[in-house]
């Protein structure tokens, strides 16, 4: 049995199967509703029920207060329909968003590459191609691990049948420990995607700045490879931050791209460069490298940030001091156990600031 759901203010109508959450139904029919945790605890997916009967499900009392429940508010990630319904959601309509439906895939591990002492490159052959926008992510299910984990796609959309993930080992993280210590070529995994609204706004003018830290390089890598493949002529500058030379992975890849494409510039930065690194590049934090390269003036650019929260916050501050505004900056934050959140990146909210 299914119910009809109308989503305002966009007027989109979708079908919701019995027992399926509103969020699941929307994403699988190409309608993006804002969400973050996906488990009823963060309140990002809060919506207003206008008409119809809706079961609130297992929503946290802290994320959905009693007064809000009385007003007809629910969390899309928990709520299920009991009749046809109409809801109002805070949807930021973006003309550049392709809205590809979320689907389920079976993937086979083809190879695992050591990118750095803490990051593995995991390559997965899908049972069929996945259509996605560069910068989006998938939810990966690992054997014996409860729930799913979100990882950004590092490959461009042109390589749609074999995806590449960059997975950093998180101390105490069951999922990333499994990837680093047990996962092997030939293993079969389940995943779903694509998710997220972190992608290049192609219709917006301006040159492009990418600032990445750690395994946050994955999304910018996908974006840059896609833009260059498509023949985009805008100037693109990638600032890649790492602690030391050993952690600065895919350095040769981006040096090669910079040598081949006159509109692409690569600026790596090491925050804890050791004397034995024989490092002749920038020494300091990645946002400092960006500030130095542009002379503290970023106006006229669009910036895409991807990495841990401290890096993101520092980069935002530097960019805004250099005359970029909220509308010019897009970001993807990685929350891990080290950041005091869940044990690994969990369905991060990809959005404009």
């Amino acid at each position: 049995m299914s119910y009809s759901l109308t989503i305002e203010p966009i007027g989109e109508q979708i079908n919701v199967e019995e027992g399926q959450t509103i969020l699941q139904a929307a994403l699988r029919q190409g309608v993006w509703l804002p969400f973050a945790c996906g488990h009823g605890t963060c309140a990002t997916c809060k919506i207003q029920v206008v008409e119809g009967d809706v079961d609130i499900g297992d929503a946290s009392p802290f994320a959905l207060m009693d007064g809000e429940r009385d007003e007809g508010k629910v969390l899309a990630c928990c709520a299920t329909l009991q009749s046809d319904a109409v809801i109002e959601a805070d949807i930021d309509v973006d003309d550049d968003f392709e809205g590809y439906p979320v689907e389920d895939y079976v993937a086979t591990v083809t190879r695992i590459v050591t990118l750095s002492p803490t990051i593995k490159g995991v390559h997965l052959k899908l049972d069929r191609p996945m259509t996605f926008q560069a910068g989006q992510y998938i939810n990966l299910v690992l054997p014996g691990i409860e729930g799913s984990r979100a990882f950004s796609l590092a490959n461009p959309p042109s390589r749609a049948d074999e995806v590449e993930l960059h997975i950093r080992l998180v101390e105490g993280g069951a999922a990333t420990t499994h990837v680093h210590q047990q996962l092997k070529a030939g293993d079969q995994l389940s995943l779903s995607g694509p998710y997220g609204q972190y992608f290049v706004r192609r219709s917006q003018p301006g040159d492009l700045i990418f600032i990445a830290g750690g395994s946050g390089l994955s999304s910018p890598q996908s974006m840059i490879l896609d833009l260059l493949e498509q023949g985009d002529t805008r100037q693109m500058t990638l600032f890649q931050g790492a602690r030391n030379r050993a952690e600065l992975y895919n350095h040769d890849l981006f040096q090669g791209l910079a040598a081949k494409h006159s509109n692409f510039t690569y600026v790596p930065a090491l925050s804890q460069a050791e004397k034995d690194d024989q490092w002749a590049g920038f020494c300091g934090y990645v946002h400092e490298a960006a500030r130095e390269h542009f002379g503290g003036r970023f106006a006229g650019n669009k910036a895409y940030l991807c990495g841990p929260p401290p890096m993101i916050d520092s980069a935002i501050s530097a960019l805004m001091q250099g005359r970029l505004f909220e509308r010019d900056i897009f970001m993807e934050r990685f929350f891990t156990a080290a950041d005091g959140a869940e044990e690994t990146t969990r369905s991060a909210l990809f959005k404009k600031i």
Side-chain angles (χ1 to χ4, degrees):
M1 183 176 183
S2 66
Y3 300 105
S4 175
L5 176 68
T6 302
I7 303 172
E8 299 294 357
I10 60 175
E12 194 79 28
Q13 190 172 67
I14 64 172
N15 292 321
V16 182
E17 299 297 327
E18 187 173 7
Q20 186 179 38
T21 69
I22 292 173
L23 179 62
Q24 290 171 339
L27 294 177
R28 289 178 180 275
Q29 292 171 72
V31 179
W32 177 260
L33 295 180
F35 77 102
C37 74
H39 303 282
T41 60
C42 75
T44 303
C45 65
K46 193 176 296 179
I47 55 177
Q48 176 70 50
V49 178
V50 179
E51 297 178 13
D53 296 323
V54 179
D55 186 338
I56 65 171
D58 191 23
S60 163
F62 300 102
L64 190 65
M65 309 294 283
D66 289 341
E68 293 176 316
R69 297 174 190 229
D70 294 340
E71 293 170 357
K73 290 184 171 61
V74 300
L75 302 184
C77 69
C78 298
T80 56
L81 298 190
Q82 296 179 315
S83 71
D84 294 345
V86 178
I87 63 167
E88 287 183 353
D90 183 16
I91 299 176
D92 184 13
V93 178
D94 193 315
D95 292 338
D96 289 308
F97 181 50
E98 299 294 341
Y100 297 121
V102 171
E103 298 183 27
D104 297 316
Y105 299 85
V106 176
T108 302
V109 180
T110 56
R111 59 193 175 106
I112 301 174
V113 181
T114 298
L115 298 175
S116 83
T118 62
I119 299 172
K120 297 287 189 183
V122 178
H123 296 255
L124 304 168
K125 181 73 172 180
L126 302 181
D127 57 347
R128 65 190 188 283
M130 175 191 296
T131 305
F132 68 94
Q133 287 181 266
Q136 291 190 295
Y137 70 99
I138 55 95
N139 275 340
L140 183 67
V141 178
L142 294 160
I145 308 297
E146 183 179 358
S148 61
R149 300 295 186 270
F151 297 106
S152 297
L153 294 159
N155 54 292
S158 60
R159 286 165 39 204
D161 61 344
E162 183 170 357
V163 302
E164 176 185 347
L165 311 175
H166 299 168
I167 301 179
R168 177 171 70 90
L169 179 64
V170 177
E171 185 176 355
T176 60
T177 298
H178 178 90
V179 169
H180 277 249
Q181 297 182 3
Q182 296 175 259
L183 195 67
K184 62 185 184 300
D187 286 354
Q188 282 200 334
L189 304 173
S190 298
L191 61 86
S192 61
Y195 295 94
Q197 287 198 308
Y198 183 64
F199 50 85
V200 174
R201 272 61 179 179
R202 293 177 183 267
S203 67
Q204 297 187 14
D207 292 332
L208 305 174
I209 296 172
F210 298 93
I211 302 179
S215 60
L217 180 65
S218 52
S219 290
Q221 176 176 304
S222 177
M223 292 170 162
I224 291 165
L225 291 174
D226 183 44
L227 289 165
L228 293 176
E229 285 181 3
Q230 298 300 320
D232 197 298
T233 58
R234 284 175 290 182
Q235 291 295 319
M236 310 171 207
T237 306
L238 169 63
F239 298 93
Q240 181 188 4
R243 288 189 178 89
N244 51 51
R245 182 63 184 85
E247 291 291 345
L248 189 73
Y249 72 95
N250 282 2
H251 180 260
D252 292 343
L253 167 65
F254 293 107
Q255 279 193 321
L257 290 175
K260 183 178 179 181
H261 299 276
S262 60
N263 63 324
F264 175 66
T265 302
Y266 173 53
V267 182
L270 301 184
S271 61
Q272 299 176 18
E274 302 291 342
K275 292 180 180 178
D276 58 3
D277 279 338
Q278 296 182 335
W279 178 248
F282 185 87
C283 294
Y285 291 107
V286 68
H287 69 280
E288 296 171 336
R291 183 186 286 129
E292 179 180 282
H293 183 84
F294 280 93
R297 298 181 181 88
F298 300 105
N301 292 279
K302 299 296 181 184
Y304 293 84
L305 320 178
C306 189
M311 186 221 79
I312 295 288
D313 293 340
S314 296
I316 291 171
S317 178
L319 291 167
M320 297 189 80
Q321 288 171 12
R323 304 299 293 168
L324 277 196
F325 299 96
E326 192 171 307
R327 65 178 180 271
D328 303 316
I329 305 172
F330 304 86
M331 64 179 179
E332 174 185 352
R333 293 181 188 265
F334 282 178
F335 290 97
T336 70
D339 304 313
E342 295 289 338
E343 68 176 17
T344 187
T345 50
R346 299 279 306 272
S347 299
L349 173 63
F350 301 153
K351 65 168 206 169
K352 197 171 179 180
I353 295 173

